[in-house]
Amino acid sequence: MSTNHPLETALPPRFRRPSLFTCAIVLVFLALFIQGAMATNVTLERLLRGIVNLGHFLGRAFPPDLSNLDVLAWSMFETLNIAIVGVTIGIILSLPFALLAARNTAPTPWVRTITRFIVSTMRTIPDLIWALIFVVAVGLGPMAGVLAIIMDTIGFAARFFSERIEEVHPGPSEALSATGAGKLSVIGGAILPETLASMTATSLYSVEKALRSAVTLGLVGAGGIGVELAAAMRLFNFDRALTIILLILVVVIGFEQLSSQIRKRVI
Amino acid sequence: MNAITITELHKYYATLHVLRGLNLSVTQGECVILLGANGCGKSTLMRCLNGLAPHDQGSIHILGEPLTRLSPAKLRRLRQKIGVVFQQFNLVQNVSVFQNVLYGALGQQRLGLLTSLSCFASNELRERAMAALERVGLAHKAQADCRALSGGQQQRVAIARTLMQDAEIIIADEPVASLDPKAGREIMDLLLDVVTERGMTVLCTLHQLELAQQYGDRIVGMKAGRIVLDVPRQQVAMDDMQHLYQGETRVDQPPLSTTPRLTPATH
Ligand SMILES: Nc1ncnc2c1ncn2[C@@H]1O[C@H](COP(=O)(O)OP(=O)(O)O)[C@@H](O)[C@H]1O
Ligand SMILES: [Mg+2]
């Protein structure tokens, strides 16, 4: 087909004028950005001073303090424990939450609304704040960390699980209903198997996420390696802090590698 | 006794009047082919018959029992007596072929899924499932993944599932529409063989004239939500059948529209 002859219809314009709404959003955002940049005192001079300070930190951090490694190893192990226990319980609890929150498995609409509200509350409150709350409730130590991770995991995993459940192809569930199966049998027999692969991937990601949060939870006293890190920083033991940071790096990266290997096998 | 009795059945989807006063009775052991163009309401009728879609007016009696206002438990018991074969097979992915056949027993088992899972099912149940698979000629695929099967094989597994169900009535909704002609014929042969063996009643929808001329005892023709033809297969006139595909065949066409003449599907 050639286009040598003149076209009857005009070509669409290359650019379209942005809508008034878009312009307004961009303007508001720009104003907020400029105001924010001024309020937070981002100046070149302070940035330079920061770099110099960082130099001091690194100077005093090297060589890393390798004494008492066994103590650090134990707190790292505690962090792993917090992450694994918290994420396991969290994922197990996510499943009923997800089933109650998904349109096609919720028993009644109001149960669904309430469950979704609870789950989104769990997600909206950051893990550090959950940890602060639980430190108040159950005291300093790993238990507060485990509880915080449970909340964080449910908020994240239950939402993804329920979205996946809503996307599931209705045919197989209908086929099982048609044999006279009850609702629970249909969920267990058709919906769960069809969503298993994607739920496993989400769960593995939750484990990675939980490990990273378990490290920081210690900063507010919820147990694990973070407690050591906070102490070292506060006492200006930068060489020890560096050891801890390197240790965290090694464990987290190692774990992510492991998890992506598992994910490749599963999917 | 009649296996299925339908009187003055009406069904709406929101404002769409799909079933417009159907009357039909099927005696036990009879094989009825329901013929009609796409969109005339065949699938809707099938879904009403086992309560997957509730009807709005009129009544349905299955084996003498009315379908309206049944308690969930009674509805489940009624569904056990009706095996359904779907166009899209509706097997559960990620579980084995054998497990899919076992799912046919979900309704009969008092504990539902628990005693229908391959690992917990009784020996008797497992043997019945294997016998059903042998009957459809797929015993060697028992451990296979459903995705590895051809369409025809998947439909055989679905038939084995209804055999497992020990149903008295089989409802098949375009069981061969997604298959090539050869596989389609094989499935129709198999379906009619097993129902004759077990003395089951069959209501099978088709939209191909050629197939309808070769199977079943009686041909019922549907057009735009009404039954317009009901004759023994031996006496059916080609003209009457072709008439089903001409003029207003769909229920979602605006009335009195000038739609192009549809030619009967010839695939
Ligand atoms: N779940 C549903 N919700 C709304 N409309 C539907 C639904 N199922 C079917 N319909 C409509 O009902 C009409 C009849 O469809 P269907 O019974 O599937 O016809 P057939 O099986 O004869 O092709 C179609 O217009 C279709 O769009
Ligand atoms: Mg259909």
Side-chain angles (χ1 to χ4, degrees):
Chain A
M1 241 204 268
S2 79
T3 49
N4 284 339
H5 58 84
L7 292 169
E8 285 174 18
T9 336
L11 283 168
R14 286 180 192 270
F15 301 102
R16 269 188 304 171
R17 224 181 54 184
S19 71
L20 208 61
F21 181 72
T22 316
C23 294
I25 293 281
V26 169
L27 275 182
V28 168
F29 181 80
L30 263 182
L32 277 175
F33 175 77
I34 293 167
Q35 188 269 340
M38 276 164 12
T40 48
N41 258 333
V42 183
T43 61
L44 203 60
E45 186 257 328
R46 288 191 59 196
L47 267 180
L48 286 178
R49 204 141 30 95
I51 291 175
V52 174
N53 285 342
L54 216 58
H56 283 307
F57 169 73
L58 285 179
R60 289 175 56 186
F62 274 104
D65 174 10
L66 293 180
S67 62
N68 288 333
L69 259 187
D70 55 329
V71 176
L72 293 189
W74 273 113
S75 356
M76 193 68 225
F77 191 61
E78 189 175 68
T79 296
L80 272 175
N81 286 342
I82 294 173
I84 297 289
V85 173
V87 84
T88 307
I89 299 176
I91 284 173
I92 292 172
L93 291 180
S94 289
L95 203 56
F97 273 103
L99 289 170
L100 292 177
R103 196 175 308 112
N104 46 346
T105 50
T108 58
W110 59 266
V111 170
R112 172 170 186 251
T113 313
I114 294 175
T115 315
R116 283 168 63 98
F117 177 74
I118 296 174
V119 170
S120 70
T121 309
M122 289 186 189
R123 187 175 53 249
T124 314
I125 298 179
D127 50 355
L128 267 182
I129 300 198
W130 278 122
L132 281 174
I133 294 172
F134 286 123
V135 164
V136 172
V138 300
L140 289 171
M143 180 156 174
V146 168
L147 291 174
I149 300 250
I150 292 178
M151 290 298 175
D152 204 43
T153 304
I154 296 177
F156 170 78
R159 177 200 172 171
F160 275 87
F161 287 1
S162 76
E163 278 173 2
R164 184 67 196 93
I165 290 171
E166 284 180 355
E167 283 164 10
V168 80
H169 182 56
S173 311
E174 262 179 13
L176 296 203
S177 299
T179 68
K183 205 162 178 178
L184 284 178
S185 296
V186 173
I187 289 174
I191 293 181
L192 291 187
E194 297 240 324
T195 51
L196 197 64
S198 124
M199 286 195 187
T200 313
T202 307
S203 304
L204 280 172
Y205 183 73
S206 299
V207 179
E208 284 175 32
K209 190 163 133 42
L211 184 59
R212 278 189 301 257
S213 28
V215 169
T216 49
L217 292 186
L219 298 178
V220 297
I225 192 87
V227 177
E228 299 289 335
L229 183 59
M233 290 299 254
R234 225 168 280 139
L235 300 174
F236 302 107
N237 287 336
F238 293 147
D239 46 356
R240 193 167 171 78
L242 184 64
T243 315
I244 297 173
I245 291 172
L246 291 177
L247 186 63
I248 292 172
L249 218 61
V250 169
V251 172
V252 171
I253 291 178
F255 194 83
E256 280 175 4
Q257 291 299 318
L258 181 72
S259 151
S260 69
Q261 287 303 319
I262 300 176
R263 212 167 345 191
K264 261 184 229 149
R265 299 274 149 87
V266 175
I267 304 170
Chain B
M1 186 172 58
N2 276 346
I4 304 172
T5 314
I6 302 169
T7 34
E8 278 307 309
L9 187 72
H10 287 267
K11 163 80 185 163
Y12 294 81
Y13 277 123
T15 56
L16 184 66
H17 195 175
V18 183
L19 302 181
R20 304 169 178 177
L22 293 186
N23 290 291
L24 177 70
S25 42
V26 180
T27 48
Q28 268 184 312
E30 202 177 12
C31 174
V32 175
I33 301 292
L34 185 66
L35 195 61
N38 282 325
C40 73
K42 303 184 298 292
S43 299
T44 306
L45 173 61
M46 301 306 233
R47 293 169 58 82
C48 285
L49 284 178
N50 64 359
L52 278 178
H55 58 274
D56 296 302
Q57 281 167 43
S59 69
I60 298 177
H61 287 72
I62 302 288
L63 299 164
E65 231 185 308
L67 195 68
T68 13
R69 286 191 297 277
L70 278 185
S71 68
K74 279 211 173 124
L75 179 62
R76 288 218 301 271
R77 218 163 304 138
L78 200 60
R79 280 180 178 165
Q80 282 170 39
K81 298 179 190 160
I82 310 173
V84 185
V85 179
F86 298 85
Q87 177 183 345
Q88 298 301 340
F89 328 128
N90 286 348
L91 302 182
V92 179
Q93 308 291 321
N94 291 331
V95 301
S96 67
V97 164
F98 188 67
Q99 179 63 64
N100 264 291
V101 178
L102 273 172
Y103 279 156
L106 271 179
Q108 305 151 6
Q109 298 290 308
R110 212 154 42 82
L111 290 179
L113 188 63
L114 270 189
T115 43
S116 308
L117 283 178
S118 178
C119 43
F120 300 128
S122 65
N123 281 337
E124 183 253 333
L125 209 60
R126 287 165 57 93
E127 274 160 24
R128 263 180 57 209
M130 205 55 192
L133 263 182
E134 271 173 7
R135 177 61 192 87
V136 301
L138 282 179
H140 59 293
K141 292 282 189 188
Q143 308 209 37
D145 194 64
C146 298
R147 268 178 287 227
L149 301 186
S150 69
Q153 288 174 328
Q154 291 196 38
Q155 196 60 296
R156 283 166 188 270
V157 176
I159 291 174
R161 180 168 65 188
T162 58
L163 290 182
M164 191 68 196
Q165 195 181 333
D166 261 341
E168 291 171 48
I169 300 173
I170 288 221
I171 290 180
D173 190 6
E174 309 224 15
V176 300
S178 349
L179 304 177
D180 63 68
K182 180 164 167 287
R185 236 164 261 276
E186 283 169 10
I187 290 293
M188 284 307 284
D189 288 338
L190 174 70
L191 189 64
L192 292 201
D193 282 352
V194 296
V195 298
T196 329
E197 276 167 33
R198 302 200 174 196
M200 292 191 273
T201 313
V202 187
L203 182 58
C204 173
T205 70
L206 291 175
H207 70 258
Q208 302 104 313
L209 284 183
E210 297 73 39
L211 277 180
Q213 283 171 306
Q214 294 165 33
Y215 295 98
D217 306 322
R218 187 174 141 203
I219 292 189
V220 172
M222 245 180 110
K223 191 171 172 181
R226 288 194 182 83
I227 288 177
V228 294
L229 177 75
D230 189 346
V231 282
R233 174 163 66 96
Q234 310 300 346
Q235 299 164 20
V236 70
M238 195 64 189
D239 272 359
D240 289 341
M241 291 208 291
Q242 268 171 356
H243 195 67
L244 295 173
Y245 297 91
Q246 291 155 6
E248 269 171 38
T249 58
R250 299 188 61 93
V251 291
D252 49 5
Q253 272 166 342
L256 296 172
S257 63
T258 50
T259 42
R261 239 173 100 112
L262 296 176
T263 44
T266 49
H267 47 264

